[in-house]
């Protein structure tokens, strides 16, 4: 996995928040070298940019919309990671909702990576070529300066 470090110049590093259970937030926080927060009130109060993580399921994407409708003002959304829930393309209603999300947010689609289904993220799993490629893709999709 590429090494990442916190931004320089006084910019606060982002924290990861999963908008729904089993979104993959813990895994992505680990892979990106970022903190994760599960208490949304603490996340919002921190003033740090958020990387929201949602699965490509209708309920998880809807949870992302619900989060945004409640917390849009005063919260800096660095990006929304839309993590594939299965091999292949997302179902049409989910694709449509992701397109709507992308109209006002930086949305990064994360492909299905079977290795990430492991219960624990080991060094071997993190070094898997598909995992490394997905992490590089996410890092390059984040706004400049969020992660160096």
């Amino acid at each position: 996995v590429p090494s990442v470090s916190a931004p320089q110049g006084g910019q606060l590093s982002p924290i990861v928040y999963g908008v729904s259970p089993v979104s993959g937030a813990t895994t992505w926080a680990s892979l990106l070298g970022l903190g994760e927060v599960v208490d949304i009130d603490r996340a919002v109060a921190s003033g740090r940019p958020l990387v929201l993580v949602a699965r490509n399921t209708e309920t998880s994407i809807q949870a992302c919309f619900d989060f945004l409708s409640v917390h849009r003002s005063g919260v800096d959304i660095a990006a929304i990671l839309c993590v594939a829930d299965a091999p292949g393309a997302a179902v049409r209603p989910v694709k449509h909702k992701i397109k709507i999300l992308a109209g006002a947010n930086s949305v990064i689609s994360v492909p299905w990576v079977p290795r990430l289904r492991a219960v624990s993220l080991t060094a071997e799993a993190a070094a898997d070529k598909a995992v490394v490629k997905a992490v590089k893709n996410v890092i390059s999709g984040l706004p400049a300066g969020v992660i160096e």
Side-chain angles (χ1 to χ4, degrees):
V1 173
S3 67
V4 294
S5 60
Q8 302 300 314
Q11 184 178 3
L12 295 173
S13 64
I15 48 178
V16 175
Y17 177 71
V19 296
S20 62
V22 298
S23 63
T26 300
T27 298
W28 281 100
S30 176
L31 288 169
L32 296 171
L34 299 173
E36 178 191 12
V37 65
V38 293
D39 179 346
I40 192 51
D41 294 327
R42 286 184 59 207
V44 171
S46 75
R48 294 167 68 181
L50 298 178
V51 174
L52 302 179
V53 181
R55 284 279 178 203
N56 283 359
T57 64
E58 197 145 3
T59 55
S60 191
I61 297 298
Q62 185 58 51
C64 192
F65 275 100
D66 295 345
F67 172 89
L68 292 170
S69 70
V70 172
H71 299 286
R72 183 43 121 179
S73 63
V75 177
D76 179 9
I77 306 297
I80 300 170
L81 302 186
C82 292
V83 181
D85 66 319
V91 296
R92 180 172 281 163
V94 170
K95 279 200 249 184
H96 178 70
K97 286 184 175 187
I98 291 170
K99 189 173 183 177
I100 293 168
L101 273 176
N105 301 280
S106 173
V107 171
I108 303 168
S109 293
V110 180
W112 174 254
V113 180
R115 188 69 146 167
L116 293 180
R117 294 191 74 209
V119 174
S120 63
L121 187 62
T122 64
E124 179 184 319
D128 179 82
K129 285 182 183 181
V131 173
V132 170
K133 182 178 178 182
V135 171
K136 285 181 180 178
N137 188 38
V138 168
I139 291 171
S140 70
L142 290 171
V146 170
I147 297 178
E148 293 185 347

